[in-house]
Amino acid sequence: MRCAFAAVLAALVAAPAAAAPPARLQVVAREFSFALSRPKLKAGPAIVELVNLGQDAHDLRLRRVGGTSTYAIPVVQPGRHAALKFKLRAGRYRLWCSVANHRALGMRATLVVRR
Ligand SMILES: [Cu+2]
C-alpha cells in the first residue's frame, strides 16, 4: 500500500508543466465598473469568469493591445455568471463591456498577461 502511494506521489511530482491547471480570472461587473480578481495572469490557457453583481445586463470583451481578435463572454443577466476558457498570449489586454455606452461609463479595465 505504502509503495503504491509513493508511486502515485512520484507520478504527480513528475507531471509535466503542460498539465498545470489553467490560470483563472474573475471579473465582477457592476454599474459601471469592472473589478478584476488579479491584475496579472500567466500566458496560456485561462478560465475567465464574468460575475454580474449589478442590476443591468453586462458582457465582457477582451482584446490584446496590437492584436486583431476579440474574445467575448456574451451578455450575463444580473445575479448570474458565465465562464469561458481562452488561450491568452503575453501582452496587455483591454477589457470592456460592449452593452450600450457602458464602456464610456467606466466598464473597462486592463489586464497584463506575462510570459
Ligand atoms: Cu455593461
Side-chain angles (χ1 to χ4, degrees):
M1 243 355 185
R2 197 182 176 126
C3 287
F5 175 73
V8 168
L9 193 62
L12 286 175
V13 169
R24 284 182 173 271
L25 172 71
Q26 188 180 65
V27 180
V28 173
R30 289 189 173 88
E31 292 79 37
F32 290 96
S33 67
F34 276 142
L36 276 54
S37 61
R38 61 191 61 184
K40 292 179 183 175
L41 273 189
K42 200 163 164 40
I47 296 173
V48 179
E49 182 186 33
L50 174 61
V51 180
N52 188 351
L53 295 186
Q55 299 178 355
D56 300 339
H58 298 292
D59 68 9
L60 181 65
R61 298 282 187 268
L62 292 94
R63 180 184 274 224
R64 190 171 59 86
V65 174
T68 52
S69 41
T70 302
Y71 302 101
I73 294 181
V75 167
V76 172
Q77 297 301 319
R80 308 299 296 261
H81 61 97
L84 279 178
K85 194 171 176 182
F86 303 113
K87 192 156 193 269
L88 298 179
R89 294 168 54 192
R92 180 175 291 267
Y93 286 74
R94 301 221 184 283
L95 282 64
W96 71 96
C97 174
S98 74
V99 174
N101 61 340
H102 292 186
R103 184 180 193 172
L105 291 172
M107 296 194 76
R108 53 183 184 260
T110 301
L111 174 72
V112 174
V113 176
R114 291 172 286 126
R115 237 174 269 284

